[in-house]
Amino acid sequence: MSESEGTPGRGWGMSAEEAARLSRHVAGASASGLPLGPGLRALAEESRRGGFRNALNDLADRLERGEPLDEAVASGAGWAPAHLGGMVRAGVRAGDLGGVLERFQAVSRVGSDLRRSFRIGLAYPILAVALTLVVFLLVDMLIVDRFENIFRDFGVPLPTMTIVLLAISHLVRFLGPFLIAGFLALLVAWAVFGLVSSRAARNALIARIPVVGSLWRYTAWSEFCHLLAMLIESKVPLPEALRMTGEAVEDRGIDRACRSMARSVEGGRALSAAMAGGVGDRDDSGAIRRAMPRGLPRLLKWAEDRAAVAEVLRVAGETFQARSRAEAAFGGAAAGFLAVVAVIVGFFVVVVGMFLPLITLVSRLSG
């Protein structure tokens, strides 16, 4: 790897989607029996220049030097997320590296697909509202002010709708610079926050937003349940499985809760008791209660009595996944409906508010 491409671990970490993409390639190579090093280099050539491409070349270098795959991934500190190395170790221990990584890739795709479908559902309403605002601003700057002067000069009595339209126009002209400055400040703040914070911190912040937050929480809970079930089935020790799951989900609240539960399990408590909290450090118990779904500890207690924890977690994950899809569908439909209403109301107020006094003026001039 050339020095011009940089060192993969310097200030950069592999995202969950990139880790899933790498795991898919490793799983395919493992299943086919093909050498992994050349395959990683071929994948790097198909990738854009940047951290992910550098990481692939770095991993290929380590494998061609004779390092085992799990050690090569674990030694890629700075670019390889800990949960990816844990998945590889779990697959090696289970003697089914390809199967474990394929299941991990499938679970990782669930969250990204749900969030992508929600973004696509919001794209049209946001575009419609944005175009409506642009048209209104153009009408306000080019037409409304001139019509207002005409109505005032001729002393035309103004109906309520026209008065409302003119008041909105005055307010927009007065607050316009402040609104634009505030919007730009929010964009800059979000960009800076994205640079200085982790993806887990951003997801935790999004989870607090009304409507959108519920979708993010259900998606994160679905990923948590599916990943933890997969790791338990792969015979990963429960504390390690909890820590790996917390990092893989990429939500700061869930990550902290998983670390707290891992410590509690290492102290001898069952998973259901650790998730229910109430014993030990108060901050840890509060973090677990805030991050985890309330009814899940009772389900896990029932599952532990029947040695069916992985199965119950998988069912719970599918339930949260269905709720997330329903939230995404509802959010997209509600946003689309509100966008249509906003466009119709805006068009009605502008057209009727301008033309009612204009009709009165024309009648006076012609009579």
Side-chain angles (χ1 to χ4, degrees):
M1 182 173 59
S2 65
E3 291 296 326
S4 62
E5 289 183 335
T7 304
R10 203 166 289 169
W12 177 81
M14 187 178 291
S15 69
E17 291 187 9
E18 290 170 336
R21 184 182 175 194
L22 176 59
S23 69
R24 181 173 67 250
H25 183 82
V26 173
S30 175
S32 63
L34 296 174
L36 186 55
L40 290 173
R41 292 202 186 279
L43 181 60
E45 290 300 321
E46 297 173 1
S47 304
R48 295 181 300 176
R49 286 185 176 273
F52 182 59
R53 181 176 180 175
N54 297 340
L56 294 174
N57 284 320
D58 179 69
L59 182 56
D61 288 341
R62 295 176 185 277
L63 292 173
E64 289 172 354
R65 288 198 298 266
E67 291 187 33
L69 177 60
D70 53 341
E71 294 180 10
V73 173
S75 59
W79 63 260
H83 68 271
L84 179 59
M87 297 295 172
V88 173
R89 290 195 302 273
V92 171
R93 281 200 301 258
D96 185 22
L97 177 61
V100 169
L101 291 181
E102 282 180 358
R103 292 196 296 273
F104 166 64
Q105 187 269 332
V107 170
S108 300
R109 196 169 55 200
V110 168
S112 60
D113 288 348
L114 288 171
R115 295 184 179 103
R116 188 180 301 113
S117 64
F118 183 65
R119 294 189 192 103
I120 292 173
L122 287 181
Y124 168 73
I126 291 174
L127 179 61
V129 172
L131 288 176
T132 302
L133 290 175
V134 170
V135 171
F136 179 81
L137 290 175
L138 290 175
V139 170
D140 180 59
M141 290 185 296
L142 300 176
I143 299 176
V144 174
D145 187 47
R146 296 179 183 180
F147 273 56
E148 183 180 7
N149 293 331
I150 293 173
F151 299 151
R152 186 185 299 112
D153 292 340
F154 283 90
V156 179
L158 301 178
T160 303
M161 189 170 293
T162 305
I163 295 174
V164 170
L165 176 62
L166 295 178
I168 294 174
S169 175
H170 295 161
L171 185 64
V172 168
R173 267 177 262 167
F174 175 74
L175 295 179
F178 301 101
L179 293 175
I180 293 174
F183 179 72
L184 293 176
L186 284 176
L187 287 181
V188 171
W190 181 254
V192 171
F193 182 68
L195 290 175
V196 301
S197 64
S198 65
R199 187 176 287 102
R202 294 196 298 274
N203 287 342
L205 179 62
I206 293 173
R208 298 177 181 272
I209 301 174
V211 181
V212 177
S214 60
L215 166 71
W216 244 248
R217 285 193 299 274
Y218 284 126
T219 300
W221 291 342
S222 174
E223 291 177 317
F224 166 82
C225 292
H226 281 299
L227 281 169
L228 186 57
M230 187 199 77
L231 290 170
I232 291 174
E233 289 176 334
S234 300
K235 310 301 181 184
V236 177
L238 185 56
E240 182 183 354
L242 284 166
R243 291 189 175 96
M244 288 164 56
T245 300
E247 181 174 345
V249 171
E250 290 192 329
D251 182 285
R252 187 168 58 185
I254 290 180
D255 187 23
R256 181 182 176 187
C258 285
R259 294 178 187 277
S260 300
M261 289 189 292
R263 290 192 295 268
S264 184
V265 169
E266 287 171 337
R269 302 184 72 196
L271 176 60
S272 59
M275 189 176 295
V279 177
D281 188 87
R282 183 177 299 175
D283 291 340
D284 284 352
S285 297
I288 294 171
R289 290 196 186 97
R290 286 191 298 270
M292 292 288 107
R294 293 183 179 179
L296 191 55
R298 291 193 296 272
L299 282 175
L300 290 176
K301 179 65 173 66
W302 179 88
E304 287 165 349
D305 294 338
R306 293 159 178 79
V309 173
E311 291 80 359
V312 168
L313 281 170
R314 192 159 47 249
V315 171
E318 291 171 356
T319 302
F320 293 134
Q321 185 176 337
R323 290 291 301 271
S324 182
R325 285 201 181 96
E327 291 286 335
F330 171 76
F337 174 76
L338 293 176
V340 171
V341 171
V343 171
I344 293 174
V345 170
F347 179 80
F348 182 79
V349 169
V350 170
V351 172
V352 176
M354 285 293 95
F355 278 92
L356 278 179
L358 187 61
I359 293 172
T360 303
L361 178 60
V362 172
S363 300
R364 281 187 177 185
L365 294 177
S366 61

